[in-house]
Amino acid sequence: MYGKFGEFLAAELASIREQGLFKEERVLESPQGAEVTVGGAKVLNFCANNYLGLASDPRVVAAAQKTLDQWGYGLSSVRFICGTTSLHKQLEQELSTFLGTEDTILYAACFDANGGVFEPLIDQDSAIITDQLNHASIIDGVRLAKARRFIYKHADMADLEQQLTAAAEARFRLIVTDGVFSMDGDLANLQGICDLAEQHDALVMVDDSHATGFVGPTGRGTCERFDVMGRVDIITTTLGKALGGALGGCTSGRKEIIAWLRQKSRPYLFSNSLPMMVCGASLEVLRILREDPEPLRRLEANQKQLRGGLKELGFDVEDGEHPIIPVHFRKQENDAVLAQKMSAELLDEGIYCIGFSFPVVPHGQARIRLQVSAAHSTQQVQQCLDAFATVGRRLGVI
Ligand SMILES: *Cc1c(COP(=O)(O)O)cnc(C)c1O
């Protein structure tokens, strides 16, 4: 049987290659950091989610090593059989304290947190109202629920209100949004969303994967940034981005919601416990966030330096406050070609960043998405700006 199926897949693979949609993986030959080795060359990395530079921080690595020695490698169990340690309980408690919530449940990834949050909570008599640009894991999680689904136009509060009205008959309503949208680095209007939720008697869920640890005055995320802590019922987030970057995720919020998820959420019930070394390292990350404001301060300074510098050079960059900085080509006709060509030439200049074009982003909105980190030095950010100036002039972008 496989012969025909194999031929079919080979043809599909050839077809996406022809369309330029085949994703090549670049192989790193060094730890994650501001500088990485790719293909034998040292380059500056401007495409990791390593916002606070903690992925290879010696304090985090030491905490993981210490936990490994104390607790061993793995648990070989799900949480409810024999896979819950005091370390898991401590991490759940400290995440709740950090996020300002009542309780937290850990998952192997935020993808699993989102996969396991809707189906147990929102049944066929209820409705989920979801931003059009929400993350793939939210889309998949919503698909698993029997609830009615209402999609509102990205960040459009008038349309959200219309969808809430359309869902008025539902027993319960849950609005769900990314806290930060990864392609543009724009923040959800959580004030507006919470106001509408209160007017229309709806619950609110925020996926803060691109915010936890560094958005808001003390890095607690978009709920802190918009002063709505306590008004959001459910937060999902990842340990795999700013908070050390290994893996793991969680759902945090009202205590009855979390208690119910521990009983009913399938990725929690039927998938293995988070490794203890990840718990130990994550606790160290939370300690660093409490006691060391330097990564947060450096990240903000780097974000301003890079965004401001690119604008000054004449690149098509929007105002913003997030370390995701898209460089657009909206004044050029061949935006997709330029984004690819420019990112390739930037790599030759020692700057590793990725060009995105259709279908990842809409037609005519190709971009290079830069992500700056607290790990970058002022001089490294300047090197990035210098390379953009050189390549941008060469390709006639500026
Ligand atoms: C990265 C991301 C996820 C997935 O997180 P993992 O822990 O890597 O599974 C989920 N939601 C959003 C918004 C993300 O950006």
Side-chain angles (χ1 to χ4, degrees), residues 8-25:
F8 163 73
L9 285 183
E12 291 290 299
L13 284 163
S15 157
I16 62 170
R17 263 184 209 282
E18 261 167 44
Q19 295 168 58
L21 303 179
F22 190 87
K23 290 180 274 302
E24 295 285 356
E25 294 176 4

Side-chain angles (χ1 to χ4, degrees), residues 26-49:
R26 286 220 166 82
V27 179
L28 301 196
E29 293 137 1
S30 67
Q32 187 59 279
E35 190 175 74
V36 291
T37 309
V38 179
K42 283 191 173 168
V43 295
L44 295 179
N45 189 0
F46 282 88
C47 54
N49 300 314

Side-chain angles (χ1 to χ4, degrees), residues 73 114 264 294 354 375:
Y73 177 61
N114 287 334
K264 298 288 181 184
E294 189 57 17
I354 301 286

Side-chain angles (χ1 to χ4, degrees), residues 247-274:
L247 85 172
C250 70
T251 301
S252 195
R254 314 268 184 211
K255 59 180 189 294
E256 295 82 3
I257 291 177
I258 305 305
W260 188 247
L261 292 176
R262 280 192 212 285
Q263 300 302 313
K264 298 288 181 184
S265 180
R266 291 163 71 85
Y268 182 80
L269 291 173
F270 299 112
S271 190
N272 210 39
S273 288
L274 203 58

